[in-house]
C-alpha cells in the first residue's frame, strides 16, 4: 500500500525508525487529526483500513489489491463500526488494532531480512520503550501513577482483597491505599468475622467491579471511590466526589449509607476501619 517494494529497512535501527514514523502518523490520525479521520471513515463506503507511513503521515484507504500483499495489512472495515459505538470506544478499538499492525510490520521486516534472536530482542526492547497507540489515545501513558503495578502485586496473595487493591492502586489519592492495608489486616483477624463475611464474599460473587450508582463497569481512566461502610465502589462523577475532594475524606460514606441507615450500625464499622492519623 505504501510502496513497500521501494522501502525495505534492513537493520534493527532502520526498522525501528520505520516503526516510529508509522506510529507517529497513526497517533496523529487518532488525536490531532481525529475529526478528519472520523469523517473519512464513512460507514457507507467499502471496507477501509487506517495506514501509517514511515514519513509520519496517515491514510484511510481500501486494502491492497495484490494477494498476498507486500506488507501485512491493517484491520479491515474499521469504518463499519464507527456509528455503532461511542467515539471514544471506537478510537480505542482502532488504536489496539493499529498497535498490532505496527508490530506485525516490524517483525515482518525482521523475518524477511533474517534478524536473529538478539536482533529481534533488541528491536522489541526499543519498541517496548514507547507508549502504545492505545496508551496515548486512552490517556494511560499520562495518568498511570508510578508504582501502581508493584502495589497491586503486593496484594495479589489476598484473594478477597485483590479487586479492591487493584482499584485503589489506580486512584490518584494515597490515603485509601493505606486504609486498604488496615482493612486487610483487620479483616484477616479472627475477631472481625463480620468484615470478612461481608466485603470478601461480595467481591467473589462478581466477576468485575460495577459502580453502585450507575451499574457501569470499571474504566481505567476514571476516578473511583469505595464506601467504607458497604464497601461498594462508585464512579467519582456519580457521587459528585473529585480526586481533590477525596484527599480530605478520612472515611467515605456513599449516599445510601449517609441516609437513615448510616448511624449506629455504621458507627462500629467506622471505628474499626478508621485511618491512623
Amino acid at each position: 500500500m505504501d510502496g513497500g517494494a521501494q522501502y525495505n529497512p534492513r537493520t534493527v535501527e532502520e526498522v525501528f525508525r520505520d516503526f516510529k514514523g508509522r506510529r507517529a502518523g497513526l497517533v496523529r490520525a487518532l488525536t490531532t487529526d481525529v475529526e478528519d479521520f472520523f469523517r473519512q471513515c464513512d460507514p457507507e463506503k467499502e471496507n477501509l483500513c487506517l495506514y501509517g507511513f514511515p514519513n509520519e503521515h496517515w491514510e484511510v484507504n481500501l486494502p491492497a489489491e495484490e494477494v498476498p500483499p507486500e506488507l501485512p495489512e491493517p484491520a479491515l472495515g474499521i469504518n463499519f463500526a464507527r456509528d455503532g459505538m461511542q467515539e471514544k470506544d471506537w478510537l480505542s478499538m482502532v488504536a489496539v488494532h493499529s498497535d498490532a499492525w505496527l508490530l506485525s510490520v516490524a517483525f515482518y521486516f525482521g523475518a524477511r531480512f533474517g534478524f536473529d534472536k538478539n536482533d529481534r530482542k533488541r528491536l522489541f526492547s526499543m519498541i517496548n520503550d514507547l507508549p502504545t497507540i492505545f496508551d496515548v489515545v486512552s490517556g494511560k501513558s499520562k495518568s498511570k501513577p508510578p508504582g501502581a503495578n508493584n502495589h497491586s502485586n503486593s496484594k495479589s496473595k489476598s484473594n478477597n482483597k485483590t479487586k479492591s487493591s487493584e482499584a485503589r492502586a489506580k486512584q490518584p489519592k494515597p490515603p485509601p491505599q493505606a486504609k486498604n492495608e488496615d482493612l486487610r489486616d483487620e479483616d484477616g483477624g479472627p475477631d472481625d468475622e463480620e468484615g470478612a463475611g461481608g466485603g470478601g464474599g461480595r467481591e467473589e460473587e462478581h466477576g468485575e467491579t460495577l459502580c453502585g450508582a450507575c451499574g457501569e463497569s470499571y474504566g481505567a481512566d476514571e476516578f473511583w471511590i469505595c464506601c467504607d461502610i458497604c464497601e461498594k465502589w462508585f464512579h467519582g462523577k456519580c457521587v459528585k466526589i473529585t480526586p481533590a475532594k477525596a484527599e480530605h475524606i478520612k472515611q467515605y460514606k456513599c449516599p445510601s449509607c449517609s441516609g437513615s441507615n448510616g448511624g449506629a450500625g455504621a458507627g462500629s464499622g467506622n471505628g474499626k476501619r478508621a485511618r491512623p492519623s
Side-chain angles (χ1 to χ4, degrees):
M1 172 57 67
D2 59 344
Q6 289 77 35
Y7 182 77
N8 287 323
R10 294 174 179 270
T11 67
V12 171
E13 287 71 24
E14 287 175 343
V15 172
F16 181 60
R17 281 197 299 272
D18 177 272
F19 177 93
K20 284 204 304 181
R22 294 176 191 274
R23 174 185 174 277
L26 294 172
V27 167
R28 215 171 87 190
L30 298 174
T31 55
T32 308
D33 300 343
V34 67
E35 292 184 7
D36 188 23
F37 170 65
F38 188 90
R39 179 182 54 79
Q40 292 190 36
C41 290
D42 186 351
E44 298 298 322
K45 296 181 179 179
E46 297 182 48
N47 288 297
L48 295 175
C49 302
L50 172 62
Y51 294 89
F53 301 131
N55 61 0
E56 301 188 4
H57 290 172
W58 61 274
E59 178 183 71
V60 172
N61 209 333
L62 296 172
E65 294 182 0
E66 66 268 21
V67 179
E70 172 67 19
L71 293 177
E73 286 288 291
L76 183 66
I78 57 172
N79 52 312
F80 295 147
R82 190 196 73 178
D83 295 342
M85 307 171 64
Q86 292 188 4
E87 182 176 342
K88 178 182 177 183
D89 295 334
W90 177 67
L91 292 174
S92 295
M93 180 201 71
V94 177
V96 169
H97 282 293
S98 297
D99 282 319
W101 177 66
L102 284 178
L103 284 175
S104 68
V105 171
F107 280 81
Y108 164 83
F109 285 128
R112 178 172 179 176
F113 298 113
F115 287 7
D116 60 18
K117 177 181 178 180
N118 290 332
D119 285 340
R120 293 194 302 271
K121 184 176 181 180
R122 187 155 62 93
L123 174 59
F124 182 77
S125 178
M126 294 165 74
I127 290 173
N128 205 36
D129 284 338
L130 296 174
T132 64
I133 299 175
F134 174 77
D135 286 342
V136 175
V137 170
S138 65
K140 283 187 174 182
S141 60
K142 297 179 182 179
S143 63
K144 188 174 181 180
N149 288 337
N150 292 336
H151 181 79
S152 296
N153 291 339
S154 68
K155 304 291 187 300
S156 61
K157 294 182 180 179
S158 176
N159 292 333
N160 288 345
K161 291 299 175 182
T162 298
K163 181 70 71 173
S164 296
S165 300
E166 292 173 352
R168 290 181 190 277
K170 293 182 176 68
Q171 293 188 63
K173 62 169 190 168
Q177 296 175 0
K179 183 162 47 181
N180 189 49
E181 294 281 358
D182 299 336
L183 277 170
R184 187 183 66 165
D185 293 339
E186 289 291 332
D187 288 355
D191 61 338
D192 194 14
E193 297 175 1
E194 180 182 350
R202 190 182 301 112
E203 286 179 12
E204 289 177 355
E205 290 175 7
H206 299 284
E208 59 180 3
T209 304
L210 301 177
C211 175
C214 68
E216 295 293 329
S217 58
Y218 174 78
D221 57 342
E222 298 173 306
F223 172 74
W224 278 50
I225 188 166
C226 181
C227 175
D228 291 298
I229 305 304
C230 64
E231 296 187 0
K232 290 182 179 179
W233 288 87
F234 299 85
H235 291 107
K237 63 185 179 183
C238 290
V239 292
K240 298 181 180 180
I241 299 292
T242 64
K245 282 185 180 180
E247 291 285 353
H248 304 288
I249 299 176
K250 290 186 178 180
Q251 291 181 320
Y252 173 68
K253 290 183 182 180
C254 69
S256 298
C257 295
S258 296
S260 57
N261 296 328
S268 59
N270 281 349
K272 210 174 279 187
R273 289 173 170 77
R275 178 181 66 150
S277 57

